[in-house]
Amino acid sequence: MSHRALVIAMLPAIGLRVLAVLGFPPALLFYGDSFAFLREELTPGTTRPSGYSLLLALLRPAHSLTLVTVLQHLLGLALAVAVYALLRRRGLPGWGAALLVTPLLYDEFLVLLEHMIMADAIFVALITVAIALIVWRVTPTTAAVGGLLLGLAGITRTVGLPLLLLTAAYLLIRRYGWRPLVALLVAGAIPLGAYATWMKVEKDKFGLTEADGNFLWSRTMSFADCAVIKPPERLAVLCPNMPVEQRPYPPHWLWESFSPLLKVPGTANRNQLAGEFARAAILAQPGDYLGAVATDLKQLLRWERTAVDEKTPYKLPSSERPLSESVRGVAESYEGGPAATRVVEPFAGWLRAYQRFGYVPFPLLMLALGGTLVAALVRRRWDALLPGVAALALVVSPPFLAAFDVRYVIPAIPLVCLAVGLTLGARTPFRAGRADGRSSAPAATVSRVQQR
């Protein structure tokens, strides 16, 4: 059986996901984010787009968080199969393609995100399938489907927006013709435009969120010095009131009671002023800004995902965490009953033990990404550059726009695996060169066919 290696690799991976379903029913809930996604009212999100909420609304009649997590687990497994199929098509042997998708099957954080009521698992699937479609074969149809998926990714997590532009640049540079490029951009604009129009109708702002300025402002709290920035009086209220060495990590400035951001009335006004302050801070202190970004990116050199004694929401719980009264009704309304995460032993304990070692260390991931980008250029595996550069954008952009978070690196894992496989595999059997965007066979092949 030519796919025996994949079947062998899939079985334990299915077992890990069964442990998650049995050990932590009905789902893992993340701080306030999960409950914001689960709310009954469907409106454009203030701090995050509501694409994932729309999906949850479609599944709501089943009244089952377990259904959501099971579907996300199945999607994760299907994603590994899709990447495997593409790598086999590019000439990798079965064992080689199966080896390259093992991070998708076994990384504990991917399993964690699949079991969490968060947009990440859906986002990972959307961007990976979109880019895989483009490198599978460029036609107006695949470009349109890829663009639509990237547009949906953009209304799921805004960090997906640059990937649509990167993919368009790839088609343009590779000269695939105007039809695939137009198909990609038009299809991608449909969900983005529809969502932005919805935002305009509901909140009188044409955009995807009302918090981009807030997040960038929180980034500047790592270094902002108002004695240097000299902000005008209307922005001075956003100056931090504690020494740099005592300031907490940027996300805390968005929610905690000490944040001066909370002194500014009105959601739209707050976001606008925060954005103005952030841009002034970056222009006044560019070196400090880049230093803060570099400090965040150093965490990619950390071998452990989480230390044993580290407090983090990304550790599987060892005991049940009762829901607070402020969010219990939201979760129980969706579930149609008790919704707090239960911890069922011994299944939960087995998965907690696996979490301590079942991951790709970030230094190895970054080494693989950097080596692949160089090797793709040397070997002229241009298709590998698209997932490689997309993975790099996903990893690097959050520290510039908000802050580093372990969770933000995870979507790059499937793209890195895809890029490595494309670099090692054969050249794409399809080439650009026709103005109508249709792929043409190499000239030598055409000549041989004509001579028969």
Side-chain angles (χ1 to χ4, degrees):
M1 184 171 60
S2 60
H3 306 303
R4 181 180 301 143
L6 178 66
V7 173
I8 293 173
M10 290 279 289
L11 293 177
I14 293 171
L16 288 175
R17 288 156 175 82
V18 171
L19 286 181
V21 173
L22 296 178
F24 301 97
L28 296 172
L29 300 170
F30 184 86
Y31 286 6
D33 295 43
S34 295
F35 307 102
F37 288 127
L38 289 169
R39 290 190 187 280
E40 291 280 355
E41 63 272 14
L42 278 177
T43 58
T46 299
T47 60
R48 62 191 65 81
S50 300
Y52 185 59
S53 297
L54 296 174
L55 173 64
L56 293 178
L58 291 175
L59 299 174
R60 181 186 296 278
H63 285 288
S64 174
L65 293 173
T66 299
L67 173 64
V68 177
T69 58
V70 168
L71 289 177
Q72 290 180 168
H73 285 308
L74 292 175
L75 193 58
L77 294 170
L79 188 62
V81 174
V83 173
Y84 169 88
L86 176 54
L87 296 182
R88 288 301 307 273
R89 186 172 187 264
R90 290 301 171 85
L92 265 65
W95 66 268
L99 181 64
L100 283 173
V101 300
T102 52
L104 284 69
L105 295 171
Y106 290 101
D107 192 283
E108 55 86 14
F109 217 124
L110 284 169
V111 177
L112 176 78
L113 291 177
E114 290 166 14
H115 202 64
M116 192 176 281
I117 303 302
M118 287 285 283
D120 298 70
I122 301 300
F123 177 76
V124 169
L126 288 171
I127 61 172
T128 306
V129 172
I131 290 177
L133 273 174
I134 299 298
V135 298
W136 182 284
R137 182 178 184 182
V138 176
T139 67
T141 300
T142 58
V145 176
L148 179 63
L149 294 177
L150 290 173
L152 292 172
I155 66 170
T156 303
R157 282 190 56 198
T158 52
V159 73
L161 291 175
L163 302 189
L164 180 61
L165 299 179
L166 284 174
T167 305
Y170 169 80
L171 295 180
L172 187 62
I173 294 171
R174 293 294 312 280
R175 295 184 297 175
Y176 278 106
W178 63 268
R179 289 185 180 179
L181 180 61
V182 171
L184 176 89
L185 293 175
V186 170
I190 291 173
L192 294 172
Y195 188 92
T197 302
W198 184 30
M199 172 76 83
K200 177 66 176 178
V201 171
E202 294 285 337
K203 300 188 176 182
D204 197 30
K205 177 190 176 182
F206 191 81
L208 299 183
T209 72
E210 292 182 290
D212 53 330
N214 296 345
F215 280 101
L216 189 59
W217 172 84
S218 72
R219 166 74 283 174
T220 67
M221 290 300 97
S222 302
F223 62 86
D225 183 350
C226 282
V228 177
I229 303 168
K230 297 181 174 59
E233 183 177 352
R234 63 193 183 86
L235 299 180
V237 66
L238 292 173
C239 289
N241 54 7
M242 62 180 71
V244 171
E245 61 274 10
Q246 297 179 12
R247 295 179 192 175
Y249 204 54
H252 293 280
W253 291 87
L254 295 169
W255 326 113
E256 300 291 349
S257 58
F258 62 77
S259 175
L261 192 66
L262 303 181
K263 299 176 183 178
V264 181
T267 300
N269 181 52
R270 182 185 304 139
N271 186 56
Q272 179 180 345
L273 293 182
E276 291 181 26
F277 182 100
R279 290 186 287 274
I282 292 169
L283 290 174
Q285 299 177 260
D288 295 325
Y289 170 60
L290 294 176
V293 171
T295 298
D296 275 14
L297 290 176
K298 285 180 182 177
Q299 297 191 55
L300 292 169
L301 303 178
R302 175 178 172 175
W303 192 268
E304 282 187 306
R305 289 273 178 87
T306 57
V308 174
D309 57 349
E310 184 177 352
K311 291 183 179 180
T312 170
Y314 305 131
K315 283 185 178 177
L316 293 167
S318 57
S319 60
E320 183 173 326
R321 300 169 182 170
L323 299 177
S324 66
E325 291 299 325
S326 61
V327 296
R328 178 182 297 173
V330 173
E332 292 185 350
S333 172
Y334 190 95
E335 177 69 0
T341 303
R342 302 190 301 277
V343 178
V344 181
E345 304 295 353
F347 312 112
W350 294 343
L351 199 56
R352 285 197 304 270
Y354 178 79
Q355 188 179 37
R356 296 308 313 156
F357 64 88
Y359 56 86
V360 179
F362 284 162
L364 291 183
L365 185 69
M366 294 301 102
L367 182 63
L369 176 56
T372 296
L373 290 173
V374 172
L377 289 171
V378 171
R379 302 193 69 197
R380 298 185 178 182
R381 298 297 194 263
W382 310 123
D383 288 354
L385 291 177
L386 177 58
V389 173
L392 184 63
L394 289 172
V395 171
V396 171
S397 58
F400 280 93
L401 302 175
F404 176 88
D405 190 295
V406 175
R407 180 165 59 92
Y408 298 158
V409 182
I410 304 304
I413 293 177
L415 295 177
V416 172
C417 294
L418 179 57
V420 172
L422 292 173
T423 301
L424 296 175
R427 291 178 186 270
T428 172
F430 301 100
R431 296 179 56 188
R434 295 186 58 161
D436 60 3
R438 289 178 291 176
S439 300
S440 58
T445 302
V446 175
S447 178
R448 286 195 299 267
V449 170
Q450 291 174 341
Q451 292 172 3
R452 291 182 180 177

